[in-house]
Amino acid sequence: MNLEEKLASAAIEMGSMADSLAEILEQLRGRISPALIDDTWWELVLRCARELPAAIAAFPFGFEIPLHEPEAKADFGVSVLGRTEPAAFYKQLGQSADAGSPAVALAWLVREMESDDAAIHEIVSRKMMLEYDIASALSGTQPEPGIFIRPSARPLVGGDERDEDINTVLDAIAAGAGWQVESGERRHTVQVYRALKDDSTWLESFGAFPSRERAIRLAVGGFRTLSDIQEFLERSGWSGQTASMAEAVEPFQKKNAFACVTVHLDVTADGLGPTLGLSFMPKVRVESDPNYWIDDPRMWVPFLDCLRQIDFLVPSKLSALDDWSAGAEILHYRSSSLVLMWLIHHVKMVIDQDKVEKIKAYPFFLMHPMGKGEIPSD
């Protein structure tokens, strides 16, 4: 049995434990501080999760926590692997949805990524991430998720000429959002790609939010130093001030608080948007390592200490984040035993109008039935 078959089997087992993902989440409430997600927002997360199958808990799932906002709220993210029970769920949603709806477009993308004959499958494999805007649940409607796919099967590293692969991924992510790619979006995405000087950096993910203002959300990974980020942004055509970015990042570099940074850009037909995201991680992650994304919680101490020097962040949230990473434990649920891990994936700084506007943490959970072998990657 290969890894994908084991993951599919784990999803079936997780799916048999509960009627929805919300039932699984309810078992984890005691591990999430109310300082990060209060009871009102937790109920909104559960409202979203009640519409999702429990099998999704077999793959990493977690939260986007705004550390700059007093309100203890969160958005919710899940992972989906093709040819598993969660993938079948999203395909079924598309079959029952109205023509032209985002659910139909997402179902098409799932099917395309599952197909061995599809060009996109050769580049991004069968894995995608979905992000739910929980604030939409305040109106009583189920939010349409943002969609992210990663060129992990055939990575788009710098120094190559891979325009055809870039266009394949762009076509797929746009179609998954119900769009068609515009010529300007292609041109500016290729411009970003060609700004990567060598194979130490790469196009990490392509994303789209069907329910938000249109943009291709491009993540560029592999940066080790502030100067590398500055040089890339100048070559890429980003319209913001790199000096302002440098001023924000320099204290973290002086404290050796990060090992690598992913740069997030919004690509539109008119160029790169002014907003810049910087995701910090405490170690260099290598996808050939199946557990590359699992960090020792102690790695985050220098970075969190630097965050405490930023006066607009909420101290109680930073303290609660200190306690998030607990390594692994055994969770007994119904008649099953599960390995439970709760970790921080990354922390993102958002720069807009040439100043730091937001800082968000992305903690997550991973649950896996005992005895299933490999732990699935994100």
Side-chain angles (χ1 to χ4, degrees):
M1 184 182 292
N2 63 30
L3 178 57
E4 287 196 355
E5 290 171 337
K6 290 179 179 180
L7 296 179
S9 175
I12 291 171
E13 185 169 344
M14 292 297 297
S16 69
M17 294 181 187
D19 293 330
S20 73
L21 181 58
E23 290 185 36
I24 302 291
L25 282 177
E26 286 172 340
Q27 307 306 308
L28 305 178
R29 178 54 173 145
R31 293 168 175 80
I32 302 173
S33 169
L36 296 177
I37 307 177
D38 65 23
D39 289 343
T40 298
W41 280 89
W42 181 248
E43 182 53 43
L44 293 175
V45 171
L46 293 180
R47 185 184 300 177
C48 174
R50 288 188 188 105
E51 304 297 323
L52 303 177
I56 285 181
F59 310 110
F61 59 94
F63 308 93
E64 178 187 88
I65 307 286
L67 301 177
H68 56 283
E69 295 189 21
E71 193 172 10
K73 62 182 184 179
D75 286 337
F76 184 53
V78 301
S79 309
V80 177
L81 182 68
R83 299 183 181 178
T84 64
E85 188 175 324
F89 165 80
Y90 284 100
K91 288 188 290 185
Q92 179 59 44
L93 276 185
Q95 291 175 359
S96 58
D98 295 335
S101 73
V104 172
L106 177 57
W108 173 87
L109 181 57
V110 173
R111 291 193 301 270
E112 193 76 359
M113 292 173 64
E114 289 180 334
S115 172
D116 289 334
D117 298 327
I120 187 63
H121 167 67
E122 297 177 359
I123 304 169
V124 304
S125 189
R126 298 189 175 97
K127 187 166 52 182
M128 70 172 62
M129 287 71 71
L130 303 176
E131 182 180 323
Y132 287 90
D133 181 3
I134 296 302
S136 299
L138 288 170
S139 63
T141 61
Q142 174 74 336
E144 299 291 347
I147 309 162
F148 296 85
I149 55 179
R150 298 178 61 180
S152 56
R154 195 160 70 211
L156 288 165
V157 298
D160 289 344
E161 294 184 4
R162 301 272 298 283
D163 293 4
E164 184 177 349
D165 281 358
I166 289 172
N167 286 327
T168 296
V169 181
L170 279 174
D171 287 336
I173 192 64
W179 308 334
Q180 288 188 334
V181 181
E182 298 181 6
S183 60
E185 291 169 331
R186 293 191 194 279
R187 184 170 65 256
H188 294 297
T189 300
V190 169
Q191 177 180 325
V192 170
Y193 176 62
R194 291 180 178 169
L196 302 178
K197 62 180 181 180
D198 56 43
D199 61 3
S200 66
T201 50
W202 56 89
L203 297 187
E204 187 169 291
S205 71
F206 293 65
F209 281 86
S211 301
R212 296 187 190 176
E213 184 176 356
R214 176 168 173 152
I216 302 297
R217 310 300 174 107
L218 202 62
V220 188
F223 297 100
R224 308 290 184 87
T225 68
L226 174 56
S227 62
D228 288 341
I229 299 170
Q230 284 180 291
E231 291 171 8
F232 162 72
L233 289 174
E234 290 166 357
R235 293 192 301 269
S236 71
W238 179 58
S239 59
Q241 296 294 321
T242 59
S244 299
M245 179 278 300
E247 183 179 358
V249 174
E250 189 173 17
F252 295 87
Q253 180 165 278
K254 285 183 175 179
K255 296 291 186 180
N256 294 315
F258 64 86
C260 61
V261 177
T262 294
V263 174
H264 303 264
L265 297 165
D266 292 340
V267 180
T268 72
D270 298 324
L272 303 184
T275 302
L276 175 72
L278 300 171
S279 287
F280 297 88
M281 286 148 280
K283 73 175 182 180
V284 177
R285 293 169 173 174
V286 180
E287 291 213 34
S288 58
D289 174 4
N291 297 327
Y292 77 100
W293 45 275
I294 298 179
D295 299 327
D296 182 331
R298 291 169 295 183
M299 290 182 176
W300 282 103
V301 171
F303 190 87
L304 294 176
D305 285 346
C306 286
L307 287 183
R308 290 186 174 87
Q309 306 307 309
I310 300 177
D311 58 10
F312 68 85
L313 299 186
V314 181
S316 61
K317 290 189 175 186
L318 295 176
S319 296
L321 205 59
D322 272 336
D323 298 330
W324 186 282
S325 293
E329 62 177 287
I330 304 301
L331 176 67
H332 300 288
Y333 179 62
R334 295 189 176 178
S335 59
S336 299
S337 295
L338 306 167
V339 177
L340 173 66
M341 303 188 72
W342 34 320
L343 302 154
I344 301 171
H345 191 277
H346 65 276
V347 176
K348 181 191 287 186
M349 175 186 293
V350 180
I351 297 173
D352 195 10
Q353 304 299 323
D354 297 324
K355 65 178 181 178
V356 179
E357 292 283 352
K358 304 173 183 177
I359 295 183
K360 305 174 183 180
Y362 293 78
F364 74 103
F365 287 107
L366 173 62
M367 304 175 71
H368 205 57
M370 291 284 287
K372 289 297 179 183
E374 293 91 346
I375 296 175
S377 62
D378 67 327

